[in-house]
Amino acid sequence: MVTPDLAPRNGAPPATRRGGPAFDATALIGWVALSAVLPGAAHLRAGRWRSGLLLLGGYLTVVVAVVCVALGADAGLAGRALGWLGQISLVFGACAVAWFWLVIRSYVVLRPGRLPRRGQVLTGLVAGVLAVTVAVPFAIAARYARVSEQTLDSLFAAPAGTGQAAGVVRQEDPWAGRDRVNVLLLGGDWGDNRIGMRTDSLNVASVDVRTGNTVLLGLPRNLEHVRFPPGSAMAARFPFGFQLPEYRPGWREDLLFSVWQYADDHPELFGGRRNMGAEVLKETVGYTLGLRIDWYALVNIWGFAKMIDALGGLVVSVDRDIVYGLHDEGVVRAGTRRLNGTEALWYARSRTFSDDFDRMHRQRCVLGALLSQADPATVLTRFTEIAAATRRMLSTDVPRPMLEHLVPLAWKVKHAAITGLQFVPPLINTAYPDWDRIRLLTAKAIRASEHARAGASATPSGAPSAPGRHRHRHRNSPPPSPTPVLPSPGTPSPIDDGCGAPSAAMAS
C-alpha cells in the first residue's frame, strides 16, 4: 500500500519518489539484516540506486578477491601475513566501523520515521543490536592481530649484528643453502624467586626443510664430563670435560644442565661479554651431536603450566600413579584424565620413585599431547590468555624475519614424520658417555628420517630406568642401570610412542 504523500505524480513510480516505499517493522528489519550480509540491498530497495549499486559492486569485488586469494593461499602466505599484522589490525578495525555504519545507514534510508512510535523504538533497538553484532567479529579480529603483533615483537626481537642469526634473512634463500635446520628446545625454571638457570629438559629438533620430517634428539640433563668445541673459551677452561669442585662432600653440579648458568656466571671467560649461557649451550649441544644448532627456544616450566591452563587442560594417559613434591604431598593418579597446568607440570617433572630418564619419557608424552590437542578452535577461543602466557614462558633467539619461513616449515612438520631418539641408558652411559657413538647415532637417525613417512611406526630407543631421587648425581654413586622394555635401542621412534592414546571424547 502506498502512503498518500507518496502517490504517483506525473507517472513516476512510487519507489523512486521522496524516499521510496513504506515498510512495516518486520520488513524493515528484514532488509536491514539482508544489508548486513549483502551491502547495498536496503539502498536498492529504498530506490537509492547509485549508492546501492556502488556498495554492492564494491562488496562483491572484495569477496571475489578474497576467494581468489584463499584458493591460492598456502602456509607461505600465512608466514608472510605475520609481517603485516599491524596493517591487518587496522583493516579489521576499519571493517568494524564500516559495517556498524552500514547497518545503521541501511536502517535510516528505509525511513523508519514512518512507523508508529512503538515500531520506531523496536526497530531501532533491533538495528542497534544487529550493528554491534556484525561489528564485534571484526573488532575481535583486529584485537587478535594487535595482540599477536605485540607478542611476536616481544618474543622475536632480532639481536644486534649481521648475518642470518642476527635477523638478516635473504628471501631467495632463507636457509642459507642448507637442507636442515636444528633448533635447541629447552625447559628451564627461571623466575624472580629463583637463583640462576637450570635447563632441565634438553632436546634438539632437526628438521628437513624440504619435507618437514623431524627428529627430536633428547639429551639427559645429568650427562657428565661434557666436552666443548675445540678452540672455544669453555674448552680452554675445561680441556678434559666439564668438571667442577664438589659444592658439598660427595656432590657436584658439573652436569649438562649447568652449562648455561656456568657461562652466565663467568663473563671473564668471554672477554667480559655477559649472558653467554644460551650461545655456549647451543655450541656445546651441537658439538655433542655433531650438528650446527641454528636457534634455541627456552620454555619456562611455570609459564608452561599457565599455557596448559589457558588451553583448558591436557588429556594424558598416565600409566601409573606419579607422586610429586618435596615431601610426596601430591599425586597424579593413573588413568586417562584431563590434567590442569600444575598436574601436567608435575607429571612431566617428578623424579619421585623414578629418575631423569623416566621423566624424559613423560616429557615427550606431554609434548606430544600438546601438539595434538592444541587445535585452532581452542586457540582462537582462548587466544588472549594463551598470548599472555606465551610472553611469560618463552625466550628465543629466532629472529623476527625468520617467522615468515618458519611458519610454512611448521605446517610441513605437522603433516610429516616426527621421530625421536633419547640418549639414555643402556644406549648411552651418562657417567662415561661415548661421544663418537652419540654422533654416529645422530647421523643415522637423521638419515632414517629423510626417508620416513608420516604415521610410520618405529621401534623406540631406551626405556625408563631404575628409581632414583637425587637432583644432582653423587660422586660415588654408580650410574643408573635401567632395564629396557623394548628392543632395538638407537632406533628413532614416534614422539608419542609408548604414551597411550586418549579417547577422542576425552581429548575433545
Side-chain angles (χ1 to χ4, degrees):
M1 176 178 181
V2 180
T3 55
D5 62 322
L6 291 178
R9 298 179 183 178
N10 301 323
T16 63
R17 304 295 298 177
R18 301 187 62 180
F23 303 95
D24 59 25
T26 302
L28 188 146
I29 290 300
W31 281 105
V32 172
L34 181 61
S35 295
V37 295
L38 196 64
H43 290 70
L44 293 174
R45 185 65 182 89
R48 302 185 177 231
W49 298 98
R50 181 179 299 176
S51 56
L53 290 174
L54 184 63
L55 286 169
L56 184 60
Y59 173 72
L60 292 178
T61 299
V62 171
V63 168
V64 170
V66 170
V67 169
C68 290
V69 170
L71 291 176
D74 55 13
L77 178 61
R80 292 190 294 275
L82 293 179
W84 311 331
L85 288 174
Q87 296 89 326
I88 291 173
S89 178
L90 292 176
V91 168
F92 277 121
C95 287
V97 174
W99 243 260
F100 183 89
W101 173 87
L102 172 68
V103 173
I104 298 300
R105 186 59 184 166
S106 298
Y107 174 72
V108 171
V109 300
L110 293 172
R111 303 181 69 82
R114 299 174 181 180
L115 294 171
R117 179 162 299 276
R118 182 178 179 182
Q120 294 179 36
V121 172
L122 178 62
T123 56
L125 288 173
V126 174
V129 170
L130 184 60
V132 172
T133 301
V134 297
V136 162
F138 291 106
I140 292 175
R143 173 168 171 74
Y144 280 7
R146 180 60 178 162
V147 170
S148 298
E149 183 183 38
Q150 293 173 341
T151 301
L152 293 177
D153 286 345
S154 66
L155 293 176
F156 300 93
T162 59
Q164 183 189 32
V168 178
V169 180
R170 292 185 302 170
Q171 293 294 322
E172 66 277 11
D173 185 14
W175 312 117
R178 302 174 61 216
D179 56 7
R180 300 194 76 84
V181 293
N182 304 301
V183 183
L184 177 59
L185 307 175
L186 304 168
D189 55 357
W190 80 92
D192 296 335
N193 60 341
R194 294 187 63 86
I195 299 175
M197 158 70 71
R198 290 179 174 86
T199 50
D200 282 342
S201 175
L202 302 100
N203 293 274
V204 172
S206 182
V207 185
D208 188 320
V209 298
R210 299 161 301 180
T211 65
N213 284 0
T214 300
V215 181
L216 195 66
L217 304 161
L219 288 170
R221 64 187 291 279
N222 62 343
L223 200 63
E224 299 187 43
H225 307 291
V226 176
R227 301 300 177 92
F228 300 101
S232 67
M234 292 290 280
R237 175 66 179 83
F238 301 103
F240 304 107
F242 192 35
Q243 289 183 301
L244 298 174
E246 297 175 350
Y247 66 91
R248 70 179 184 182
W251 293 83
R252 59 200 319 151
E253 206 172 31
D254 48 6
L255 307 176
L256 180 59
F257 75 87
S258 297
V259 169
W260 178 310
Q261 189 59 45
Y262 185 88
D264 275 355
D265 289 342
H266 295 82
E268 72 277 3
L269 295 178
F270 313 100
R273 288 179 294 167
R274 296 187 174 274
N275 302 317
M276 290 294 293
E279 192 63 30
V280 168
L281 187 58
K282 283 167 56 180
E283 292 176 352
T284 303
V285 171
Y287 181 63
T288 300
L289 298 175
L291 301 174
R292 167 186 158 180
I293 304 299
D294 297 285
W295 306 291
Y296 81 91
L298 171 64
V299 176
N300 186 328
I301 57 174
W302 304 108
F304 181 75
K306 294 182 183 297
M307 169 71 79
I308 292 177
D309 284 335
L311 287 170
L314 209 59
V315 177
V316 177
S317 292
V318 182
D319 58 353
R320 58 183 174 83
D321 289 354
I322 301 296
V323 180
Y324 62 85
L326 291 176
H327 305 288
D328 303 345
E329 62 268 26
V331 60
V332 179
R333 296 293 181 187
T336 298
R337 58 186 70 258
R338 183 175 294 275
L339 307 181
N340 61 30
T342 301
E343 292 169 334
L345 178 62
W346 282 116
Y347 170 74
R349 297 193 74 218
S350 176
R351 294 186 192 87
T352 306
F353 307 128
S354 63
D355 59 13
D356 285 330
F357 311 116
D358 181 36
R359 190 176 72 149
M360 288 173 66
H361 171 74
R362 285 184 267 117
Q363 288 171 353
R364 288 180 63 194
C365 292
V366 171
L367 179 59
L370 182 62
L371 291 173
S372 64
Q373 294 173 37
D375 61 279
T378 301
V379 172
L380 284 175
T381 55
R382 302 174 183 267
F383 186 83
T384 304
E385 297 93 328
I386 292 172
T390 301
R391 292 187 199 182
R392 295 190 294 269
M393 70 175 282
L394 184 64
S395 173
T396 182
D397 64 348
V398 174
R400 180 77 158 83
M402 275 305 302
L403 292 183
E404 174 183 338
H405 309 285
L406 289 174
V407 167
L409 182 59
W411 181 258
K412 288 182 182 179
V413 171
K414 186 175 179 63
H415 297 84
I418 304 178
T419 54
L421 178 61
Q422 302 292 301
F423 291 104
V424 298
L427 185 64
I428 293 296
N429 185 328
T430 58
Y432 304 98
D434 184 337
W435 307 109
D436 291 335
R437 178 170 169 76
I438 291 176
R439 296 186 187 103
L440 176 63
L441 290 173
T442 298
K444 289 177 61 177
I446 289 176
R447 286 197 300 270
S449 173
E450 291 173 352
H451 305 289
R453 299 188 307 275
S457 62
T459 304
S461 64
S465 59
R469 297 198 52 189
H470 293 309
R471 176 174 178 82
H472 315 304
R473 245 185 44 79
H474 193 281
R475 181 180 184 182
N476 299 319
S477 63
S481 55
T483 302
V485 295
L486 292 167
S488 303
T491 304
S493 64
I495 186 174
D496 56 354
D497 197 274
C499 297
S503 64
M506 279 291 296
S508 63

